[in-house]
Amino acid sequence: MRFEGKVAIVTGGGSGIGEVSAERFAAEGASVVIADWNEEAGRRVADRLNGAYGSGCAIAVRTDVSREEEARNIVERTLRAYGRLDILFNNAAVILPKPLAAIAAEEFDRVIAVNLKGVFLMTKHAAPELQRTRGAIVNMASLNGLVGQRQNPVYAASKGAIIAMSKSLALDFAASGVRVNCVCPAGVMTPLLEEWTLRQDDPAATVQALNDMHPLGRPASAEEVAQAVLYLASAESSFVTGVALPVDGGAMLGY
Ligand SMILES: NC(=O)c1ccc[n+]([C@@H]2O[C@H](COP(=O)([O-])OP(=O)(O)OC[C@H]3O[C@@H](n4cnc5c(N)ncnc54)[C@H](O)[C@@H]3O)[C@@H](O)[C@H]2O)c1
């Protein structure tokens, strides 16, 4: 039980990698706060965790991470419910799989507001308590934030910026004992990737291409990515900070 007595906020915890990570945190003893703008999804996950791992181990608070008052609110709600905060997993994001010419300025603003400003706002409001507990921040980036991706310039830019911000904050927070790391998956089979696949011209060919781009022959499962998230959030990684960890089945090698 790596997280006994610890408290974690998981943004975007109502689906996909966030949901599976929230479950793994609870399974290893943490109290978990699900911050998702999809209220029903967040509540469904919290209810399930309370049933499986002990009543009161999870709460869901409807949160749009791109809105400062909501980011401040979820940290306050966490402290009211559990009295401390040890782990911030910034995972919520939206996608924008389009070529540059087809992207409206408002779409650019929306992706940057959720994916990048959301990480900034959550970190800003969680940092004082994380510094008190000498906690850990795990930010969800992407392999495309390291190496780029066709037809995905703005989303990739948001992920590249998360990596740069994480490294900068790893420096700023090191003295207070707070570690900041990123996870960089390639493909992960979640509702988000399924949505992206269906939006492509030839979804069947896209699935094949997805398998082929990973030397291990398939995209990751959400569980495989969650394992990396939990490692970076746990004391097992106590000397790891400022890292952007590919969890990509070797995709970076032959990208
Ligand atoms: N699936 C992949 O292939 C893949 C690859 C690399 C990185 N990622 C990253 O992993 C993370 C999780 O992706 P996923 O595939 O599990 O997606 P998902 O769509 O299954 O889950 C994302 C969750 O975030 C929530 N969310 C979105 N905007 C929000 C906001 N403004 N405030 C609060 N919650 C919000 C959604 O409601 C949803 O529950 C994302 O950061 C994504 O960019 C995914």
Side-chain angles (χ1 to χ4, degrees):
M1 297 282 260
R2 287 178 291 180
F3 300 103
E4 198 77 65
K6 306 281 189 196
V7 178
I9 292 177
V10 178
T11 74
S15 172
I17 298 163
E19 174 176 359
V20 174
S21 301
E23 166 145 28
R24 296 281 87 225
F25 277 125
E28 295 208 41
S31 299
V32 182
V33 179
I34 314 278
D36 204 297
W37 64 4
N38 182 335
E39 191 169 13
E40 198 188 320
R43 201 174 317 117
R44 177 184 55 78
V45 174
D47 288 349
R48 194 162 56 74
L49 299 190
N50 282 316
Y53 303 106
S55 178
C57 78
I59 58 171
V61 181
R62 196 210 162 274
T63 305
D64 178 348
V65 295
S66 69
R67 299 173 67 92
E68 181 152 29
E69 66 277 16
E70 298 189 23
R72 186 186 295 116
N73 176 60
I74 187 137
V75 174
E76 287 170 4
R77 289 284 303 273
T78 301
L79 297 181
R80 274 210 302 278
Y82 297 117
R84 60 185 292 139
L85 175 64
D86 302 277
I87 295 152
L88 173 62
F89 177 28
N90 283 311
N91 165 75
V94 289
I95 59 173
L96 187 57
K98 285 182 181 182
L100 192 82
I103 296 174
E106 297 72 32
E107 292 179 302
F108 176 98
D109 288 344
R110 189 69 198 131
V111 168
I112 296 300
V114 172
N115 296 11
L116 179 59
K117 189 174 159 200
V119 175
F120 156 71
L121 291 173
M122 287 299 305
T123 304
K124 179 178 168 190
H125 291 287
E129 180 60 16
L130 290 170
Q131 285 166 337
R132 196 184 69 75
T133 60
R134 301 178 79 79
I137 299 171
V138 182
N139 291 329
M140 178 53 75
S142 171
L143 187 64
N144 63 27
L146 290 168
V147 299
Q149 186 176 27
R150 287 187 185 87
Q151 311 286 309
N152 209 4
V154 177
Y155 173 90
S158 74
K159 296 300 188 179
I162 287 171
I163 293 166
M165 189 159 68
S166 301
K167 292 184 178 192
S168 302
L169 291 175
L171 291 169
D172 288 343
F173 292 169
S176 53
V178 178
R179 297 179 301 105
V180 187
N181 292 291
C182 291
V183 175
C184 300
V188 190
M189 255 315 152
T190 66
L192 185 137
L193 187 64
E194 282 160 26
E195 180 195 332
W196 176 80
T197 305
L198 290 173
R199 282 210 227 164
Q200 304 305 302
D201 293 338
D202 185 346
T206 303
V207 169
Q208 187 59 50
L210 257 175
N211 291 339
D212 293 345
M213 77 181 247
H214 302 86
L216 289 183
R218 59 172 176 81
S221 66
E223 285 75 11
E224 288 169 315
V225 178
Q227 293 298 349
V229 172
L230 264 76
Y231 164 71
L232 291 173
S234 77
E236 287 175 0
S237 61
S238 56
F239 208 58
V240 180
T241 196
V243 157
L245 177 67
V247 184
D248 67 351
M252 189 152 70
L253 303 175
Y255 202 71

